[in-house]
Amino acid sequence: MTADDKSEILPTELESKINRQIEFYFGDVNLPRDKFLKEQVQLDDGWVTLETMLKFNRLRTLTEDASVVAVAVRKSTSGLLEVSEDGTKVRRQPAKPLPEMNDQRKADIQSRTVYAKGFPNNMNLDELQQFFIGFGEIDCVQMRRKPGSKHFKGSVFVQFRSEEDAKAFIALEKVEFRNTPLQRTPQSEYWNKRNKENADRKQEKAKAKTQETVTDTVERPAVVIKLTGVPDGCTRELIKAALNPVAMVEWVDFEKGQKDALVRFKEANAAKTITEKFTEGVPIDGSNVPVHMLEGEEEAQYWKDSNIAKKNRKSKRKFGGHEGRGGRGGRGGRGGNKRRMGRHDSDDGPPGKMGKRNDDDDDGD
């Protein structure tokens, strides 16, 4: 075989890029979640016209000539795709159907997927793919972006074709990109760490929310007294009636049958005034009830407990089971006011058809 014969069989650099891109579209990673392409393969026994495929942005940047795509696919050695006899259509080989997405399949994918971080934020997918090809065959490189934006975070999930290549990449003593060392870890370990961090953060947030208004600081000094040995049959009204002529009561913490009561006054230093006036006890329902003013740690604990109780009351009012008109979900019945999901063009799909995939977005690096 002459050198010219070999050049006709081996794909050119452009043809290799075309094959890599179109095989990604029909591959195990993309096809199951590409709504537009899945609809197309069901129309004509799996065949999709090359005219349709050239609506995909990334393929169109490589060539706009359907014949060039046809020639490239025919030179591919992967055996994933076939071209129609007239060279106008392409499909996934019927002998290579999509694998069932079960637990075993998910575990297999995760075992071949690696998290890598340390790339510049201005990189593109082509550069990343070219970098990882040097470490083995890959199924896809997933650029991780900040939620709600296209800003690349400098980290990726790279899915290798085999678990051996994934482990070999992680086992390398050092991997650099443009003189910057890359962090590398199995995807499973990355998510285990992220899930633990999220759980810890939620726990801390819940704790902080409960205590965000709780403080040991005395809000108003000398306004709280404690009555001890309250007579049986006493009520909050009797306590107020005994104290209001001297100082206006703001709050009485007391239930009928209890022996002690806490009373808070509206004016500063009112508690001191009460204790100075009723040195022999407060006359309530025929008894002189001993009284003392809360000070120091006892006073600080009162305000702390008071703030917690206040917060709990607000929470009960807010989430007290009032679901609004129309039952659960607000007006319109159960599940009303459902959030409508918008559709966005993707860099890898035809305009207006392929939903943007954000399943890799999160708050992590």
Side-chain angles (χ1 to χ4, degrees):
M1 181 180 292
T2 66
D4 290 339
D5 293 332
K6 289 182 179 180
S7 65
E8 291 179 2
I9 296 174
L10 296 176
T12 64
E13 182 179 353
L14 174 61
E15 288 170 340
S16 295
K17 289 182 178 180
I18 291 172
N19 283 330
R20 192 156 53 240
Q21 190 59 48
I22 199 166
E23 287 176 3
F24 168 76
Y25 292 143
F26 286 91
D28 297 348
V29 176
N30 182 72
L31 186 55
R33 55 186 188 178
D34 189 327
K35 182 179 178 181
F36 173 76
L37 193 53
K38 281 200 300 182
E39 291 174 350
Q40 295 301 307
V41 300
Q42 294 171 2
L43 299 178
D44 184 16
D45 195 26
W47 293 107
V48 181
T49 66
L50 291 177
E51 180 183 359
T52 297
M53 295 308 303
L54 286 170
K55 293 178 182 178
F56 285 72
N57 297 332
R58 292 186 62 79
L59 182 60
R60 191 170 64 247
T61 61
L62 297 174
T63 181
E64 296 185 12
D65 189 337
S67 65
V68 173
V69 178
V71 171
V73 174
R74 284 179 174 144
K75 289 185 180 182
S76 174
T77 59
S78 70
L80 180 66
L81 303 177
E82 63 176 327
V83 180
S84 63
E85 291 184 4
D86 62 3
T88 63
K89 302 177 184 178
V90 65
R91 72 174 177 181
R92 181 171 173 138
Q93 286 279 8
K96 293 188 175 183
L98 282 173
E100 180 184 356
M101 185 54 72
N102 51 30
D103 291 341
Q104 183 178 355
R105 171 70 176 164
K106 292 177 182 178
D108 170 61
I109 292 174
Q110 191 168 72
S111 72
R112 297 185 281 113
T113 304
V114 175
Y115 167 80
K117 176 187 174 184
F119 297 100
N121 294 338
N122 61 352
M123 288 200 68
N124 59 50
L125 184 59
D126 290 330
E127 293 172 317
L128 289 165
Q129 288 176 334
Q130 197 63 40
F131 171 77
F132 282 107
I133 286 174
F135 298 96
E137 291 188 83
I138 60 173
D139 283 339
C140 75
V141 176
Q142 201 170 14
M143 299 177 69
R144 305 183 65 253
R145 306 180 189 276
K146 291 186 177 181
S149 77
K150 292 186 176 183
H151 181 71
F152 177 46
K153 296 192 287 187
S155 62
V156 301
F157 288 130
V158 53
Q159 183 176 314
F160 286 89
R161 188 69 51 86
S162 70
E163 184 177 353
E164 290 73 22
D165 283 345
K167 288 182 176 179
F169 176 68
I170 294 173
L172 291 171
E173 182 177 352
K174 188 176 184 181
V175 177
E176 291 185 340
F177 183 83
R178 297 177 186 172
N179 299 322
T180 300
L182 297 181
Q183 298 179 26
R184 294 158 290 140
T185 186
Q187 186 189 48
S188 57
E189 290 186 14
Y190 170 82
W191 283 123
N192 288 339
K193 179 183 177 182
R194 287 289 302 152
N195 290 337
K196 184 180 185 304
E197 289 173 350
N198 287 338
D200 292 344
R201 188 160 52 245
K202 286 181 180 179
Q203 187 175 5
E204 287 299 319
K205 187 176 181 180
K207 183 178 179 181
K209 188 174 182 180
T210 301
Q211 297 184 347
E212 64 184 357
T213 58
V214 176
T215 174
D216 291 339
T217 303
V218 176
E219 294 184 8
R220 287 179 290 143
V223 295
V224 185
I225 62 169
K226 184 174 183 179
L227 302 170
T228 55
V230 177
D232 295 338
C234 184
T235 64
R236 285 191 292 268
E237 287 70 24
L238 289 174
I239 293 174
K240 289 181 180 179
L243 297 171
N244 273 335
V246 180
M248 188 61 64
V249 173
E250 182 179 57
W251 182 267
V252 178
D253 188 357
F254 175 77
E255 295 292 338
K256 194 172 183 180
Q258 293 179 342
K259 289 299 181 181
D260 297 333
L262 291 170
V263 183
R264 187 174 72 234
F265 297 93
K266 293 183 178 181
E267 298 178 1
N269 296 314
K272 186 177 181 180
T273 301
I274 292 292
T275 54
E276 289 175 351
K277 178 172 180 61
F278 299 109
T279 56
E280 301 298 323
V282 180
I284 301 175
D285 199 24
S287 300
N288 287 336
V289 181
V291 57
H292 76 272
M293 179 177 66
L294 299 193
E295 297 179 276
E297 291 184 5
E298 189 178 26
E299 186 179 28
Q301 187 63 46
Y302 167 83
W303 285 108
K304 183 175 182 179
D305 293 343
S306 176
N307 286 334
I308 291 176
K310 185 189 300 182
K311 187 169 185 64
N312 289 338
R313 286 195 299 272
K314 288 183 178 179
S315 296
K316 286 182 179 180
R317 286 197 295 269
K318 185 175 181 181
F319 304 108
H322 298 290
E323 297 166 346
R325 198 182 309 173
R328 290 179 62 182
R331 189 178 301 180
R334 183 169 180 153
N337 289 333
K338 288 184 178 179
R339 183 182 172 197
R340 297 188 64 184
M341 300 298 291
R343 295 193 301 174
H344 306 276
D345 292 345
S346 167
D347 290 341
D348 294 331
K353 289 291 186 179
M354 184 174 173
K356 182 178 180 181
R357 296 183 295 274
N358 281 326
D359 53 310
D360 60 327
D361 287 346
D362 62 84
D363 293 331
D365 295 328

